[in-house]
Amino acid sequence: MTSSAPVRRGEARRVELENGVVRLILSEGFAQLTLDDIAARLHCSKRTLYTLAGSKEQLVRAAVVRFFRFATERVERAVAAEGLSPAARITAYLNAVAAELAVASPRFFDDLASFAPAAEVYERNTQAAARRIGELIDDGVTKGAFRDAHAGFVADLVAAQMVRIQRRAVAASTGLSDSEAYAELAALVTAGLSHPA
């Protein structure tokens, strides 16, 4: 019993540190942070950080993977809510994505775009989001809630717009906040999938 307690405490501390790295880079970005900065902010030693990853680059990539993994789980819980219509599921999906990405600072996204290992993680997640939207559209078509649309094409358009929202291009050109942009995107997609009157 006593031997397992230190293991549990060690694992809890590891999770705490991993979550701390995620919170730190989401709020401040990571290009300007050194391992010394991260260790000081998380009140640990650099040696402790090396137990999480072998370098700053690996630590950042692992944190980005962790962020998107847990964000995806929360988005899927929103979509799985009981009694949602196919249109409401798409709206719930896009609104949940907006809520998850809202915690990330512009500096994080700037750093993400310029760091290939993390940018690849973001791109892979955007592609997964496009596939998921395609599945939600196909489900709506099968249930007769949507017109017979090309799900892959609509999902590709949505994914492209998601990238523009994330890069703040939509905010710059329209003045919409990210959450407002996602709400407009959901309204356009669901209206476009509706059966003609």
Side-chain angles (χ1 to χ4, degrees):
M1 184 76 173
T2 54
S3 63
S4 64
V7 172
R8 286 196 299 271
R9 280 197 302 273
E11 181 59 27
R13 177 62 174 151
R14 180 182 182 87
V15 169
E16 178 187 356
L17 288 172
E18 288 171 342
N19 290 337
V21 174
V22 171
R23 284 191 301 273
L24 181 60
I25 69 169
L26 287 176
S27 65
E28 298 183 24
F30 51 83
Q32 301 302 317
L33 290 173
T34 65
L35 279 177
D36 285 322
D37 295 331
I38 296 169
R41 300 293 283 288
L42 299 181
H43 308 291
C44 70
S45 68
K46 225 160 74 165
R47 188 174 67 180
T48 300
L49 291 180
Y50 281 121
T51 66
L52 303 179
S55 66
K56 176 193 162 184
E57 291 74 19
Q58 291 173 357
L59 186 67
V60 166
R61 188 183 185 283
V64 171
V65 168
R66 185 176 184 82
F67 166 66
F68 280 113
R69 185 175 76 240
F70 288 113
T72 299
E73 290 174 5
R74 289 186 292 267
V75 168
E76 284 302 324
R77 282 197 296 273
V79 173
E82 289 289 325
L84 291 180
S85 68
R89 291 181 79 205
I90 289 175
T91 300
Y93 185 91
L94 292 174
N95 287 341
V97 168
E100 291 299 326
L101 295 179
V103 302
S105 66
R107 174 166 281 182
F108 168 77
F109 284 117
D110 289 345
D111 291 349
L112 189 68
S114 62
F115 180 52
E120 177 269 327
V121 174
Y122 179 77
E123 177 62 27
R124 196 171 66 239
N125 277 272
T126 302
Q127 291 169 357
R131 284 192 301 274
R132 186 66 178 114
I133 291 165
E135 291 169 3
L136 295 172
I137 293 168
D138 279 336
D139 180 63
V141 170
T142 300
K143 291 178 176 171
F146 298 147
R147 66 180 177 81
D148 190 13
H150 191 289
F153 177 73
V154 177
D156 185 63
L157 284 176
V158 171
Q161 197 61 16
M162 289 170 69
V163 170
R164 281 183 44 78
I165 292 169
Q166 171 265 316
R167 292 181 177 163
R168 305 299 191 262
V170 172
S173 62
T174 67
L176 290 172
S177 69
D178 289 3
S179 60
E180 290 169 336
Y182 272 102
E184 288 291 336
L185 181 59
L188 282 171
V189 169
T190 54
L193 291 169
S194 298
H195 291 285

